[in-house]
């Protein structure tokens, strides 16, 4: 039984003004979210441990069937290495894929006392754009993500580490990056999550100092 006199366990919503940070990476058939296929999506739900440090909590993933009429650029498909005709992909329709991703995110929002999720990504507006386009196409009404706010590890890593490329930023943060695993939505999402956690944990003293500082009078 927990000690009623002990302070409550830290929750991630306190750190991000009621938002739940969720790292997202997508693999696509091009750069245009209106015309190009969404092919993979991975989401890493973050939380805080007993020491108040930001950590990975859960990864969810789906292969996605291209929507009818979706474009797939040859150059993009060569980079991501995805073969949409591979029967082992077990791809889901966009509606099913998004529902699969969103369900545990909604649960984590509730458990952490948050109001909604905020997308974290490396070049985050790219991932958010494809996510929002898929939500619009499918007509899903309960999108847990904020429609335009996001945290971008390109900006954070560029400011704190002097690196903007994911592989270089991960290594500059003291982590290991395997280029053989690159362009897999799961791997890139988890590497981005680890990078984000390292950076946010390093600046935690600044957050705590500002949170306890006296308000500036008007």
């Amino acid at each position: 039984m927990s000690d009623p006199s002990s302070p409550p366990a830290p929750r991630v919503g306190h750190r991000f003004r009621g938002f739940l940070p969720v790292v997202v990476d997508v693999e696509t058939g091009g750069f245009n979210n209106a015309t190009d296929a969404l092919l993979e999506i991975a989401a890493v739900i973050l939380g805080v441990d007993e020491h108040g440090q930001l950590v990975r909590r859960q990864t969810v993933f789906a292969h996605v069937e291209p929507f009818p009429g979706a474009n797939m650029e040859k150059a993009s498909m060569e980079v991501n290495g995805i073969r949409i005709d591979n029967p082992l992909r077990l791809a889901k329709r966009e509606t099913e894929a998004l529902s699969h991703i969103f369900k545990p995110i909604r649960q984590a929002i509730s458990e952490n006392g948050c109001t909604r999720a905020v997308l974290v990504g490396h070049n985050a507006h790219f991932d958010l754009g494809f996510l929002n386009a898929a939500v619009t196409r499918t007509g899903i009404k309960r999108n847990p993500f904020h429609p335009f706010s996001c945290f971008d590890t390109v900006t954070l890593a560029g400011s704190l580490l002097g690196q903007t490329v994911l592989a270089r930023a991960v290594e500059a943060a003291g982590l290991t990056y395997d280029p053989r695993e690159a362009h897999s939505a799961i791997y890139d999402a988890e590497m981005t999550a680890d990078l984000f956690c390292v950076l946010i944990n390093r600046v935690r003293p600044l957050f705590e100092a500002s949170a306890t500082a006296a308000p500036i009078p008007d």
Side-chain angles (χ1 to χ4, degrees):
M1 212 173 155
S2 61
D3 182 355
S5 64
S6 62
R11 294 201 293 181
V12 70
H14 171 69
R15 179 65 178 82
F16 297 100
R17 204 176 60 81
F19 288 120
L20 174 74
V22 178
V23 183
V24 173
D25 187 81
V26 299
E27 296 298 326
T28 69
F31 297 105
N32 188 327
N33 58 53
T35 61
D36 298 339
L38 172 63
L39 300 172
E40 289 183 359
I41 181 168
V44 182
I45 300 168
L46 303 182
V48 289
D49 64 16
E50 65 274 19
H51 305 294
Q53 294 287 89
L54 193 66
V55 294
R56 275 201 256 158
R57 285 299 188 204
Q58 181 182 0
T59 299
V60 287
F61 170 79
H63 291 290
V64 187
E65 290 181 4
F67 63 88
N71 178 59
M72 285 170 280
E73 297 288 341
K74 180 181 178 182
S76 294
M77 302 304 289
E78 289 175 349
V79 169
N80 62 42
I82 295 171
R83 293 184 54 188
I84 62 169
D85 57 350
N86 185 343
L88 299 179
R89 282 191 79 223
L90 301 176
K92 304 176 185 290
R93 292 180 301 169
E94 281 190 330
T95 302
E96 296 168 345
L98 292 180
S99 296
H100 173 72
I101 296 293
F102 287 172
K103 183 177 180 180
I105 294 173
R106 293 192 190 104
Q107 181 177 349
I109 289 171
S110 176
E111 290 175 350
N112 284 280
C114 296
T115 55
R116 64 191 317 174
V118 61
L119 186 145
V120 181
H122 203 74
N123 292 308
H125 279 288
F126 177 85
D127 302 283
L128 184 59
F130 269 89
L131 180 69
N132 284 341
V135 167
T136 298
R137 277 192 300 269
T138 57
I140 288 179
K141 302 299 183 186
R142 294 181 60 224
N143 179 2
F145 285 94
H146 194 286
F148 53 83
S149 292
C150 58
F151 293 123
D152 196 335
T153 50
V154 171
T155 302
L156 289 171
S159 301
L160 298 175
L161 302 174
Q163 298 290 347
T164 57
V165 175
L166 179 60
R168 293 178 181 176
V170 166
E171 291 173 350
L175 305 171
T176 301
Y177 187 86
D178 186 350
R180 295 169 298 180
E181 298 291 336
H183 303 295
S184 154
I186 289 179
Y187 186 76
D188 286 353
E190 292 187 337
M191 286 295 95
T192 301
D194 288 345
L195 175 63
F196 184 71
C197 289
V198 166
L199 297 178
I200 294 301
N201 290 335
R202 284 186 184 178
V203 300
R204 180 181 172 188
L206 293 177
F207 166 74
E208 292 178 342
S210 65
T212 58
I216 298 174
D218 293 335

